[in-house]
Amino acid sequence: MGIIDIMDTVKKLIWVGSSKSDLKAMPAEVQDTFGHALHLAQIGQKFAKTKPLRGFGSAAVLEIVEDTGTGAYRAVYTVRFANAVYVLHCFQKKSTHGIATPKPDMDLIVARLKQAEKLSRGEK
């Protein structure tokens, strides 16, 4: 497989809402980890610290988990749509108890998933 073949199989990465600026505000090591994980998603692979996000009924909405000395960070993306990988939300998990994603973050993910669906159909 040549370079041209590989480039043909790389899905476009689309940032929904403020997800890109939210990622850029995170520590450099978290940005590096999430960047690598998202690249793997673009080529159809899955990063080791990626798991399906509960509440979406399938493995089409995924969460990258990174815990550092400065906190717990998450990036949520979807591969539900064939044309691209959509980054839905990047955030620092503030809860000190439980593993569940906080409701305000889940609400934002649901809203951005709907927005990604419209974008995948060419709607604004």
Side-chain angles (χ1 to χ4, degrees):
M1 185 181 269
I3 291 175
I4 302 298
D5 298 331
I6 292 171
M7 293 308 292
D8 288 342
T9 62
V10 176
K11 284 186 172 185
K12 187 174 180 178
L13 191 65
I14 298 176
W15 301 88
V16 182
S18 63
S19 58
K20 187 173 187 176
S21 60
D22 294 340
L23 175 62
K24 295 232 177 245
M26 293 179 178
E29 68 268 20
V30 175
Q31 291 181 47
D32 290 346
T33 298
F34 288 173
H36 176 67
L38 291 168
H39 175 72
L40 288 175
Q42 287 179 275
I43 60 173
Q45 297 179 15
K46 193 167 96 173
F47 184 64
K49 293 182 182 179
T50 301
K51 60 184 182 178
L53 184 61
R54 287 186 176 173
F56 292 92
S58 72
V61 177
L62 300 157
E63 177 180 45
I64 309 162
V65 177
E66 182 69 358
D67 294 319
T68 69
T70 61
Y73 298 87
R74 306 290 184 262
V76 178
Y77 68 94
T78 186
V79 293
R80 182 176 287 177
F81 312 110
N83 64 325
V85 173
Y86 291 84
V87 183
L88 303 175
H89 191 30
C90 296
F91 63 102
Q92 182 175 5
K93 188 169 179 280
K94 305 231 189 270
S95 174
T96 57
H97 60 282
I99 60 170
T101 302
K103 184 172 180 356
D105 291 303
M106 287 299 286
D107 291 345
L108 185 59
I109 291 164
V110 168
R112 288 185 178 171
L113 182 60
K114 289 177 185 174
Q115 186 179 356
E117 184 173 9
K118 285 181 179 180
L119 290 170
S120 77
R121 293 191 309 247
E123 299 174 24
K124 291 280 176 176

Short mmCIF file of all heavy atoms in Angstrom, two decimals, residues 57-122:
data_model
loop_
_atom_site.label_atom_id
_atom_site.label_comp_id
_atom_site.label_asym_id
_atom_site.label_seq_id
_atom_site.Cartn_x
_atom_site.Cartn_y
_atom_site.Cartn_z
N GLY A 57 -25.96 3.29 23.04
CA GLY A 57 -26.42 2.04 22.49
C GLY A 57 -25.50 1.32 21.53
O GLY A 57 -25.84 0.26 21.04
N SER A 58 -24.36 1.88 21.23
CA SER A 58 -23.44 1.20 20.32
C SER A 58 -22.03 1.74 20.53
O SER A 58 -21.81 2.61 21.36
CB SER A 58 -23.87 1.42 18.87
OG SER A 58 -23.60 2.74 18.48
N ALA A 59 -21.12 1.23 19.74
CA ALA A 59 -19.74 1.70 19.82
C ALA A 59 -19.48 2.84 18.83
O ALA A 59 -18.34 3.12 18.51
CB ALA A 59 -18.79 0.54 19.56
N ALA A 60 -20.52 3.51 18.36
CA ALA A 60 -20.35 4.59 17.39
C ALA A 60 -19.98 5.92 18.06
O ALA A 60 -19.51 6.83 17.40
CB ALA A 60 -21.60 4.76 16.55
N VAL A 61 -20.23 6.07 19.36
CA VAL A 61 -19.82 7.25 20.10
C VAL A 61 -18.78 6.77 21.12
O VAL A 61 -19.07 5.94 21.97
CB VAL A 61 -21.00 7.95 20.81
CG1 VAL A 61 -20.52 9.14 21.64
CG2 VAL A 61 -22.04 8.40 19.79
N LEU A 62 -17.57 7.31 20.97
CA LEU A 62 -16.44 6.82 21.74
C LEU A 62 -15.83 7.91 22.61
O LEU A 62 -15.90 9.10 22.27
CB LEU A 62 -15.38 6.26 20.79
CG LEU A 62 -15.90 5.10 19.92
CD1 LEU A 62 -15.07 4.97 18.67
CD2 LEU A 62 -15.89 3.82 20.72
N GLU A 63 -15.22 7.47 23.70
CA GLU A 63 -14.61 8.39 24.66
C GLU A 63 -13.15 8.00 24.85
O GLU A 63 -12.83 6.84 25.11
CB GLU A 63 -15.36 8.28 25.98
CG GLU A 63 -14.79 9.11 27.09
CD GLU A 63 -15.58 8.96 28.39
OE1 GLU A 63 -15.92 7.82 28.77
OE2 GLU A 63 -15.84 10.00 29.02
N ILE A 64 -12.27 8.99 24.69
CA ILE A 64 -10.85 8.80 24.98
C ILE A 64 -10.64 9.30 26.40
O ILE A 64 -11.08 10.39 26.76
CB ILE A 64 -9.96 9.61 24.02
CG1 ILE A 64 -10.33 9.35 22.57
CG2 ILE A 64 -8.48 9.29 24.29
CD1 ILE A 64 -9.81 10.39 21.61
N VAL A 65 -9.96 8.50 27.21
CA VAL A 65 -9.77 8.81 28.62
C VAL A 65 -8.28 9.06 28.87
O VAL A 65 -7.44 8.24 28.49
CB VAL A 65 -10.26 7.62 29.49
CG1 VAL A 65 -10.00 7.88 30.96
CG2 VAL A 65 -11.73 7.34 29.23
N GLU A 66 -7.96 10.18 29.51
CA GLU A 66 -6.57 10.47 29.87
C GLU A 66 -6.55 11.06 31.28
O GLU A 66 -7.12 12.12 31.51
CB GLU A 66 -5.95 11.44 28.86
CG GLU A 66 -4.51 11.76 29.12
CD GLU A 66 -3.54 10.59 28.88
OE1 GLU A 66 -4.00 9.48 28.54
OE2 GLU A 66 -2.35 10.78 29.05
N ASP A 67 -5.91 10.36 32.19
CA ASP A 67 -5.76 10.84 33.56
C ASP A 67 -4.30 11.24 33.76
O ASP A 67 -3.39 10.46 33.50
CB ASP A 67 -6.16 9.75 34.56
CG ASP A 67 -7.64 9.42 34.50
OD1 ASP A 67 -8.43 10.36 34.37
OD2 ASP A 67 -7.99 8.24 34.57
N THR A 68 -4.10 12.47 34.21
CA THR A 68 -2.75 12.99 34.44
C THR A 68 -2.66 13.50 35.86
O THR A 68 -3.66 13.49 36.60
CB THR A 68 -2.42 14.14 33.47
OG1 THR A 68 -3.23 15.28 33.82
CG2 THR A 68 -2.68 13.77 32.02
N GLY A 69 -1.50 14.01 36.22
CA GLY A 69 -1.33 14.61 37.54
C GLY A 69 -2.16 15.87 37.72
O GLY A 69 -2.43 16.29 38.84
N THR A 70 -2.59 16.48 36.60
CA THR A 70 -3.38 17.71 36.67
C THR A 70 -4.87 17.47 36.58
O THR A 70 -5.65 18.40 36.67
CB THR A 70 -2.96 18.69 35.56
OG1 THR A 70 -3.19 18.08 34.29
CG2 THR A 70 -1.49 19.08 35.70
N GLY A 71 -5.29 16.21 36.36
CA GLY A 71 -6.72 15.93 36.32
C GLY A 71 -7.07 14.85 35.33
O GLY A 71 -6.22 14.22 34.71
N ALA A 72 -8.38 14.66 35.18
CA ALA A 72 -8.94 13.65 34.27
C ALA A 72 -9.53 14.37 33.07
O ALA A 72 -10.34 15.29 33.23
CB ALA A 72 -10.01 12.84 34.99
N TYR A 73 -9.12 13.96 31.89
CA TYR A 73 -9.55 14.60 30.65
C TYR A 73 -10.27 13.60 29.76
O TYR A 73 -9.96 12.41 29.78
CB TYR A 73 -8.35 15.20 29.91
CG TYR A 73 -7.65 16.26 30.72
CD1 TYR A 73 -6.66 15.94 31.63
CD2 TYR A 73 -8.02 17.60 30.60
CE1 TYR A 73 -6.04 16.91 32.39
CE2 TYR A 73 -7.40 18.58 31.36
CZ TYR A 73 -6.41 18.23 32.25
OH TYR A 73 -5.80 19.20 33.01
N ARG A 74 -11.21 14.11 28.97
CA ARG A 74 -11.99 13.26 28.09
C ARG A 74 -12.15 13.95 26.73
O ARG A 74 -12.28 15.17 26.66
CB ARG A 74 -13.40 13.00 28.65
CG ARG A 74 -13.43 12.43 30.07
CD ARG A 74 -12.93 11.00 30.11
NE ARG A 74 -13.05 10.40 31.42
CZ ARG A 74 -12.07 10.30 32.30
NH1 ARG A 74 -10.88 10.79 32.03
NH2 ARG A 74 -12.25 9.71 33.46
N ALA A 75 -12.15 13.14 25.69
CA ALA A 75 -12.52 13.61 24.35
C ALA A 75 -13.54 12.61 23.83
O ALA A 75 -13.35 11.40 23.94
CB ALA A 75 -11.30 13.67 23.43
N VAL A 76 -14.62 13.12 23.29
CA VAL A 76 -15.70 12.27 22.78
C VAL A 76 -15.84 12.54 21.29
O VAL A 76 -15.89 13.69 20.84
CB VAL A 76 -17.03 12.58 23.51
CG1 VAL A 76 -18.16 11.73 22.95
CG2 VAL A 76 -16.87 12.34 25.02
N TYR A 77 -15.91 11.44 20.53
CA TYR A 77 -16.06 11.56 19.09
C TYR A 77 -16.98 10.47 18.58
O TYR A 77 -17.30 9.52 19.29
CB TYR A 77 -14.70 11.51 18.38
CG TYR A 77 -13.99 10.17 18.46
CD1 TYR A 77 -14.13 9.22 17.45
CD2 TYR A 77 -13.16 9.87 19.53
CE1 TYR A 77 -13.47 8.01 17.51
CE2 TYR A 77 -12.49 8.65 19.60
CZ TYR A 77 -12.65 7.73 18.59
OH TYR A 77 -12.00 6.52 18.65
N THR A 78 -17.41 10.63 17.32
CA THR A 78 -18.26 9.60 16.73
C THR A 78 -17.72 9.18 15.37
O THR A 78 -17.17 10.00 14.63
CB THR A 78 -19.73 10.05 16.58
OG1 THR A 78 -20.51 8.94 16.13
CG2 THR A 78 -19.90 11.23 15.65
N VAL A 79 -17.88 7.90 15.10
CA VAL A 79 -17.56 7.33 13.79
C VAL A 79 -18.84 6.83 13.14
O VAL A 79 -18.82 6.03 12.21
CB VAL A 79 -16.52 6.18 13.91
CG1 VAL A 79 -15.18 6.73 14.37
CG2 VAL A 79 -17.00 5.10 14.87
N ARG A 80 -19.97 7.33 13.63
CA ARG A 80 -21.29 6.90 13.16
C ARG A 80 -21.53 7.23 11.69
O ARG A 80 -22.26 6.53 11.00
CB ARG A 80 -22.37 7.55 14.03
CG ARG A 80 -23.78 7.15 13.68
CD ARG A 80 -24.78 7.76 14.63
NE ARG A 80 -24.70 7.08 15.92
CZ ARG A 80 -25.40 7.43 16.98
NH1 ARG A 80 -26.23 8.44 16.93
NH2 ARG A 80 -25.29 6.76 18.11
N PHE A 81 -20.92 8.31 11.21
CA PHE A 81 -21.17 8.78 9.86
C PHE A 81 -19.97 8.46 8.97
O PHE A 81 -18.83 8.71 9.34
CB PHE A 81 -21.48 10.27 9.88
CG PHE A 81 -22.50 10.62 10.94
CD1 PHE A 81 -22.13 11.33 12.06
CD2 PHE A 81 -23.81 10.18 10.83
CE1 PHE A 81 -23.05 11.63 13.06
CE2 PHE A 81 -24.74 10.48 11.82
CZ PHE A 81 -24.36 11.19 12.93
N ALA A 82 -20.23 7.93 7.80
CA ALA A 82 -19.17 7.39 6.95
C ALA A 82 -18.19 8.43 6.42
O ALA A 82 -17.05 8.12 6.14
CB ALA A 82 -19.79 6.64 5.77
N ASN A 83 -18.62 9.68 6.32
CA ASN A 83 -17.78 10.67 5.65
C ASN A 83 -16.66 11.26 6.51
O ASN A 83 -15.73 11.83 5.97
CB ASN A 83 -18.65 11.81 5.10
CG ASN A 83 -19.35 12.59 6.19
OD1 ASN A 83 -19.76 12.04 7.21
ND2 ASN A 83 -19.51 13.87 5.98
N ALA A 84 -16.74 11.15 7.85
CA ALA A 84 -15.73 11.80 8.69
C ALA A 84 -15.80 11.29 10.13
O ALA A 84 -16.77 10.63 10.52
CB ALA A 84 -15.95 13.32 8.68
N VAL A 85 -14.76 11.65 10.88
CA VAL A 85 -14.77 11.47 12.33
C VAL A 85 -15.16 12.83 12.90
O VAL A 85 -14.53 13.84 12.58
CB VAL A 85 -13.37 11.05 12.84
CG1 VAL A 85 -13.34 11.02 14.37
CG2 VAL A 85 -12.96 9.70 12.27
N TYR A 86 -16.20 12.86 13.71
CA TYR A 86 -16.69 14.11 14.29
C TYR A 86 -16.29 14.17 15.77
O TYR A 86 -16.69 13.30 16.55
CB TYR A 86 -18.21 14.21 14.17
CG TYR A 86 -18.68 14.40 12.75
CD1 TYR A 86 -18.86 13.32 11.90
CD2 TYR A 86 -18.94 15.68 12.25
CE1 TYR A 86 -19.28 13.50 10.58
CE2 TYR A 86 -19.37 15.87 10.95
CZ TYR A 86 -19.53 14.77 10.12
OH TYR A 86 -19.94 14.95 8.82
N VAL A 87 -15.52 15.19 16.14
CA VAL A 87 -15.13 15.39 17.54
C VAL A 87 -16.25 16.20 18.19
O VAL A 87 -16.52 17.34 17.80
CB VAL A 87 -13.78 16.12 17.67
CG1 VAL A 87 -13.39 16.23 19.14
CG2 VAL A 87 -12.70 15.39 16.88
N LEU A 88 -16.92 15.60 19.16
CA LEU A 88 -18.11 16.20 19.75
C LEU A 88 -17.82 17.06 20.97
O LEU A 88 -18.47 18.08 21.18
CB LEU A 88 -19.10 15.09 20.14
CG LEU A 88 -19.53 14.16 19.00
CD1 LEU A 88 -20.40 13.04 19.54
CD2 LEU A 88 -20.23 14.94 17.90
N HIS A 89 -16.85 16.64 21.80
CA HIS A 89 -16.62 17.36 23.05
C HIS A 89 -15.27 16.99 23.62
O HIS A 89 -14.88 15.81 23.60
CB HIS A 89 -17.74 16.98 24.05
CG HIS A 89 -17.81 17.80 25.29
ND1 HIS A 89 -17.43 19.12 25.38
CD2 HIS A 89 -18.23 17.47 26.54
CE1 HIS A 89 -17.63 19.56 26.62
NE2 HIS A 89 -18.12 18.58 27.34
N CYS A 90 -14.54 17.97 24.12
CA CYS A 90 -13.28 17.77 24.85
C CYS A 90 -13.42 18.52 26.16
O CYS A 90 -13.76 19.71 26.16
CB CYS A 90 -12.10 18.31 24.06
SG CYS A 90 -11.82 17.48 22.49
N PHE A 91 -13.18 17.83 27.27
CA PHE A 91 -13.41 18.47 28.56
C PHE A 91 -12.57 17.83 29.65
O PHE A 91 -12.09 16.71 29.52
CB PHE A 91 -14.89 18.43 28.94
CG PHE A 91 -15.45 17.04 29.13
CD1 PHE A 91 -15.64 16.51 30.40
CD2 PHE A 91 -15.80 16.25 28.04
CE1 PHE A 91 -16.16 15.24 30.58
CE2 PHE A 91 -16.32 14.98 28.20
CZ PHE A 91 -16.50 14.47 29.48
N GLN A 92 -12.42 18.60 30.74
CA GLN A 92 -11.78 18.06 31.94
C GLN A 92 -12.90 17.60 32.87
O GLN A 92 -13.82 18.36 33.16
CB GLN A 92 -10.92 19.11 32.64
CG GLN A 92 -10.22 18.56 33.86
CD GLN A 92 -9.25 19.56 34.50
OE1 GLN A 92 -9.16 20.70 34.08
NE2 GLN A 92 -8.54 19.11 35.51
N LYS A 93 -12.82 16.37 33.28
CA LYS A 93 -13.84 15.82 34.19
C LYS A 93 -13.57 16.39 35.57
O LYS A 93 -12.51 16.18 36.13
CB LYS A 93 -13.79 14.30 34.19
CG LYS A 93 -14.93 13.66 34.94
CD LYS A 93 -14.95 12.16 34.68
CE LYS A 93 -16.06 11.49 35.44
NZ LYS A 93 -15.74 11.25 36.83
N LYS A 94 -14.53 17.08 36.11
CA LYS A 94 -14.35 17.76 37.39
C LYS A 94 -14.85 16.95 38.57
O LYS A 94 -14.45 17.17 39.69
CB LYS A 94 -15.07 19.11 37.35
CG LYS A 94 -14.62 19.97 36.19
CD LYS A 94 -14.23 21.33 36.65
CE LYS A 94 -13.99 22.26 35.49
NZ LYS A 94 -12.68 22.32 34.99
N SER A 95 -15.70 15.98 38.32
CA SER A 95 -16.27 15.18 39.40
C SER A 95 -15.19 14.39 40.11
O SER A 95 -14.33 13.78 39.48
CB SER A 95 -17.32 14.22 38.85
OG SER A 95 -17.77 13.36 39.86
N THR A 96 -15.22 14.38 41.41
CA THR A 96 -14.23 13.63 42.18
C THR A 96 -14.78 12.29 42.62
O THR A 96 -14.07 11.51 43.25
CB THR A 96 -13.80 14.43 43.43
OG1 THR A 96 -14.97 14.73 44.19
CG2 THR A 96 -13.10 15.72 43.04
N HIS A 97 -16.04 12.03 42.28
CA HIS A 97 -16.62 10.73 42.65
C HIS A 97 -17.38 10.15 41.46
O HIS A 97 -17.92 10.88 40.64
CB HIS A 97 -17.56 10.88 43.86
CG HIS A 97 -18.70 11.81 43.61
ND1 HIS A 97 -18.56 13.18 43.64
CD2 HIS A 97 -19.99 11.56 43.29
CE1 HIS A 97 -19.74 13.73 43.37
NE2 HIS A 97 -20.62 12.79 43.14
N GLY A 98 -17.34 8.85 41.36
CA GLY A 98 -18.06 8.17 40.28
C GLY A 98 -17.33 8.25 38.96
O GLY A 98 -16.46 9.09 38.76
N ILE A 99 -17.71 7.34 38.06
CA ILE A 99 -17.06 7.31 36.75
C ILE A 99 -17.97 7.86 35.66
O ILE A 99 -17.54 8.04 34.54
CB ILE A 99 -16.61 5.87 36.39
CG1 ILE A 99 -17.82 4.92 36.36
CG2 ILE A 99 -15.56 5.39 37.33
CD1 ILE A 99 -17.51 3.56 35.79
N ALA A 100 -19.21 8.14 36.00
CA ALA A 100 -20.16 8.62 35.00
C ALA A 100 -19.78 10.00 34.48
O ALA A 100 -19.26 10.84 35.21
CB ALA A 100 -21.57 8.65 35.59
N THR A 101 -20.07 10.22 33.20
CA THR A 101 -19.88 11.54 32.61
C THR A 101 -20.98 12.45 33.15
O THR A 101 -22.15 12.08 33.15
CB THR A 101 -19.97 11.44 31.07
OG1 THR A 101 -18.97 10.51 30.63
CG2 THR A 101 -19.76 12.79 30.42
N PRO A 102 -20.62 13.65 33.65
CA PRO A 102 -21.62 14.55 34.23
C PRO A 102 -22.73 14.90 33.23
O PRO A 102 -22.50 14.99 32.01
CB PRO A 102 -20.81 15.79 34.58
CG PRO A 102 -19.41 15.28 34.77
CD PRO A 102 -19.27 14.18 33.77
N LYS A 103 -23.95 15.10 33.74
CA LYS A 103 -25.12 15.35 32.90
C LYS A 103 -24.95 16.55 31.97
O LYS A 103 -25.30 16.44 30.79
CB LYS A 103 -26.37 15.51 33.77
CG LYS A 103 -27.64 15.69 32.91
CD LYS A 103 -28.89 15.65 33.70
CE LYS A 103 -30.16 15.83 32.93
NZ LYS A 103 -30.14 16.10 31.53
N PRO A 104 -24.41 17.69 32.42
CA PRO A 104 -24.25 18.80 31.47
C PRO A 104 -23.36 18.43 30.28
O PRO A 104 -23.64 18.84 29.15
CB PRO A 104 -23.60 19.91 32.31
CG PRO A 104 -23.98 19.58 33.72
CD PRO A 104 -24.05 18.08 33.79
N ASP A 105 -22.33 17.64 30.53
CA ASP A 105 -21.47 17.20 29.44
C ASP A 105 -22.22 16.22 28.52
O ASP A 105 -22.09 16.30 27.30
CB ASP A 105 -20.20 16.54 29.99
CG ASP A 105 -19.28 17.56 30.65
OD1 ASP A 105 -18.90 18.54 29.99
OD2 ASP A 105 -18.96 17.39 31.84
N MET A 106 -23.00 15.32 29.10
CA MET A 106 -23.79 14.38 28.29
C MET A 106 -24.81 15.13 27.43
O MET A 106 -24.99 14.80 26.25
CB MET A 106 -24.50 13.36 29.18
CG MET A 106 -23.57 12.32 29.78
SD MET A 106 -22.71 11.31 28.55
CE MET A 106 -24.05 10.25 28.02
N ASP A 107 -25.45 16.14 28.00
CA ASP A 107 -26.43 16.94 27.25
C ASP A 107 -25.76 17.62 26.06
O ASP A 107 -26.30 17.66 24.96
CB ASP A 107 -27.10 17.98 28.14
CG ASP A 107 -28.02 17.37 29.18
OD1 ASP A 107 -28.38 16.16 29.06
OD2 ASP A 107 -28.38 18.08 30.14
N LEU A 108 -24.56 18.15 26.28
CA LEU A 108 -23.82 18.81 25.22
C LEU A 108 -23.42 17.80 24.13
O LEU A 108 -23.53 18.09 22.93
CB LEU A 108 -22.57 19.49 25.79
CG LEU A 108 -21.74 20.32 24.81
CD1 LEU A 108 -22.57 21.44 24.20
CD2 LEU A 108 -20.54 20.89 25.53
N ILE A 109 -23.00 16.61 24.54
CA ILE A 109 -22.63 15.57 23.58
C ILE A 109 -23.83 15.18 22.72
O ILE A 109 -23.71 15.05 21.50
CB ILE A 109 -22.03 14.35 24.32
CG1 ILE A 109 -20.67 14.73 24.92
CG2 ILE A 109 -21.92 13.15 23.40
CD1 ILE A 109 -20.17 13.77 25.98
N VAL A 110 -24.99 15.02 23.34
CA VAL A 110 -26.20 14.67 22.59
C VAL A 110 -26.54 15.76 21.57
O VAL A 110 -26.83 15.47 20.40
CB VAL A 110 -27.39 14.43 23.55
CG1 VAL A 110 -28.71 14.36 22.80
CG2 VAL A 110 -27.16 13.16 24.36
N ALA A 111 -26.47 17.03 21.99
CA ALA A 111 -26.78 18.14 21.09
C ALA A 111 -25.77 18.19 19.94
O ALA A 111 -26.15 18.40 18.77
CB ALA A 111 -26.76 19.46 21.86
N ARG A 112 -24.50 17.97 20.24
CA ARG A 112 -23.48 18.03 19.19
C ARG A 112 -23.55 16.82 18.27
O ARG A 112 -23.21 16.92 17.09
CB ARG A 112 -22.10 18.19 19.81
CG ARG A 112 -21.91 19.60 20.38
CD ARG A 112 -20.53 19.82 20.87
NE ARG A 112 -20.36 21.18 21.36
CZ ARG A 112 -19.29 21.60 22.00
NH1 ARG A 112 -18.28 20.76 22.23
NH2 ARG A 112 -19.20 22.84 22.42
N LEU A 113 -24.01 15.68 18.78
CA LEU A 113 -24.20 14.51 17.92
C LEU A 113 -25.29 14.81 16.89
O LEU A 113 -25.16 14.47 15.71
CB LEU A 113 -24.55 13.28 18.76
CG LEU A 113 -24.74 11.98 18.00
CD1 LEU A 113 -23.46 11.60 17.24
CD2 LEU A 113 -25.14 10.86 18.96
N LYS A 114 -26.35 15.48 17.31
CA LYS A 114 -27.41 15.89 16.38
C LYS A 114 -26.87 16.86 15.34
O LYS A 114 -27.20 16.78 14.15
CB LYS A 114 -28.58 16.52 17.14
CG LYS A 114 -29.38 15.52 17.94
CD LYS A 114 -30.47 16.18 18.74
CE LYS A 114 -31.16 15.16 19.64
NZ LYS A 114 -32.13 15.79 20.54
N GLN A 115 -26.00 17.77 15.79
CA GLN A 115 -25.38 18.73 14.88
C GLN A 115 -24.47 18.00 13.88
O GLN A 115 -24.48 18.31 12.69
CB GLN A 115 -24.58 19.76 15.68
CG GLN A 115 -24.01 20.87 14.84
CD GLN A 115 -23.24 21.89 15.67
OE1 GLN A 115 -23.18 21.81 16.90
NE2 GLN A 115 -22.62 22.84 15.01
N ALA A 116 -23.72 17.01 14.35
CA ALA A 116 -22.83 16.22 13.47
C ALA A 116 -23.65 15.49 12.43
O ALA A 116 -23.25 15.39 11.26
CB ALA A 116 -22.00 15.25 14.30
N GLU A 117 -24.82 14.98 12.82
CA GLU A 117 -25.67 14.27 11.87
C GLU A 117 -26.11 15.22 10.75
O GLU A 117 -26.09 14.85 9.57
CB GLU A 117 -26.89 13.68 12.58
CG GLU A 117 -27.76 12.86 11.67
CD GLU A 117 -28.88 12.14 12.40
OE1 GLU A 117 -29.10 12.40 13.59
OE2 GLU A 117 -29.53 11.31 11.74
N LYS A 118 -26.48 16.44 11.11
CA LYS A 118 -26.87 17.43 10.10
C LYS A 118 -25.69 17.75 9.18
O LYS A 118 -25.84 17.83 7.97
CB LYS A 118 -27.37 18.71 10.77
CG LYS A 118 -28.74 18.58 11.37
CD LYS A 118 -29.18 19.90 11.99
CE LYS A 118 -30.56 19.78 12.57
NZ LYS A 118 -31.01 21.06 13.17
N LEU A 119 -24.52 17.94 9.78
CA LEU A 119 -23.33 18.25 8.99
C LEU A 119 -23.01 17.11 8.03
O LEU A 119 -22.61 17.35 6.88
CB LEU A 119 -22.12 18.51 9.91
CG LEU A 119 -22.17 19.80 10.73
CD1 LEU A 119 -21.05 19.81 11.76
CD2 LEU A 119 -22.07 21.02 9.82
N SER A 120 -23.20 15.87 8.47
CA SER A 120 -22.90 14.72 7.61
C SER A 120 -23.82 14.65 6.40
O SER A 120 -23.47 14.06 5.38
CB SER A 120 -22.96 13.41 8.42
OG SER A 120 -24.29 13.02 8.65
N ARG A 121 -25.01 15.25 6.54
CA ARG A 121 -25.96 15.30 5.42
C ARG A 121 -25.81 16.57 4.59
O ARG A 121 -26.59 16.82 3.68
CB ARG A 121 -27.39 15.23 5.95
CG ARG A 121 -27.75 13.90 6.60
CD ARG A 121 -29.23 13.78 6.88
NE ARG A 121 -29.77 14.91 7.59
CZ ARG A 121 -30.25 14.88 8.85
NH1 ARG A 121 -30.22 13.75 9.52
NH2 ARG A 121 -30.74 15.97 9.41
N GLY A 122 -24.82 17.40 4.94
CA GLY A 122 -24.59 18.62 4.20
C GLY A 122 -25.42 19.79 4.66
O GLY A 122 -25.46 20.84 4.00
#
